[in-house]
Amino acid sequence: MAKTKERDKSQWIVQGQYRNNPWVMFVIVALIIAAVVIAYIRIMGFGTVTYEVRQCQSPITAESSWTEIEAADCSPIDAARDGVTMTLFEGKSPKEVDSVRGGRFVFEGFPINTPAHSFELRGVQPAEVGLLVDPSSKTVRRELSSNASGTDWSGFTGARGPTDYWVLLAPGS
């Protein structure tokens, strides 16, 4: 039997060269930053949020049905004429109103999915009851807090809600 010589396998390994290309790192970092920004924008759901302030003629409460709310004859105020202001908050960060039309306060570019979404309303006619209402689902979202004179109101809106709200201010029962 003839002896065969086995080739050394190490000869067949191709050894590559590592080239230092700094532009590759810049591309990778830019892609990571773009992915983070796009994810943040998508998760927070930036959009336009509107609050319409309405003054009601009849008493309502947080337990009122939608029929009772409609019967309360709630009409929009004229914020510019009355000197009413509203500030929207994301946590502790205030966002000033972008436009006011009648009693509608419009906030553009607000993160709708924020978990700490609240507002502050100042300078309205005195009222005893304040409600935050979702007119699209025809539900009362929550009762609002006021100062002693009933001219300043605030409330927690909550997260992932609609983009249109009514703030109803009514006399007490």
Side-chain angles (χ1 to χ4, degrees):
M1 224 167 155
K3 225 175 176 182
T4 59
K5 203 171 185 183
E6 194 172 315
R7 283 192 154 176
D8 185 9
K9 293 180 183 174
S10 64
Q11 290 178 345
W12 297 96
I13 297 174
V14 178
Q15 298 208 0
Q17 288 183 338
Y18 174 72
R19 293 184 186 169
N20 189 4
N21 292 325
W23 63 270
V24 173
M25 288 304 293
F26 289 121
V27 169
I28 290 171
V29 169
L31 288 173
I32 290 171
I33 290 171
V36 167
V37 168
I38 290 169
Y40 177 75
I41 289 170
R42 185 170 175 92
I43 288 170
M44 294 305 282
F46 289 91
T48 301
V49 178
T50 60
Y51 286 82
E52 184 169 22
V53 180
R54 295 173 164 243
Q55 191 76 40
C56 301
Q57 304 306 313
S58 303
I60 52 175
T61 66
E63 290 78 32
S64 296
S65 68
W66 190 254
T67 309
E68 293 169 326
I69 289 173
E70 287 177 329
D73 191 27
C74 302
S75 56
I77 66 165
D78 186 353
R81 182 193 70 208
D82 299 338
V84 177
T85 62
M86 180 179 270
T87 305
L88 195 55
F89 292 91
E90 177 195 2
K92 293 181 181 179
S93 303
K95 172 137 175 68
E96 296 301 321
V97 66
D98 289 308
S99 67
V100 179
R101 285 175 251 139
R104 289 178 64 91
F105 293 86
V106 179
F107 299 89
E108 296 176 10
F110 190 79
I112 296 166
N113 296 336
T114 182
H117 182 174
S118 60
F119 70 92
E120 183 177 76
L121 179 67
R122 294 185 171 276
V124 295
Q125 294 294 322
E128 293 182 37
V129 176
L131 301 177
L132 181 64
V133 175
D134 175 4
S136 60
S137 66
K138 298 182 178 183
T139 57
V140 175
R141 201 155 164 105
R142 63 184 30 96
E143 193 166 359
L144 305 175
S145 302
S146 74
N147 62 356
S149 63
T151 58
D152 296 343
W153 294 85
S154 63
F156 178 68
T157 305
R160 300 181 192 258
T163 56
D164 293 313
Y165 298 95
W166 287 352
V167 176
L168 303 180
L169 305 174
S173 50

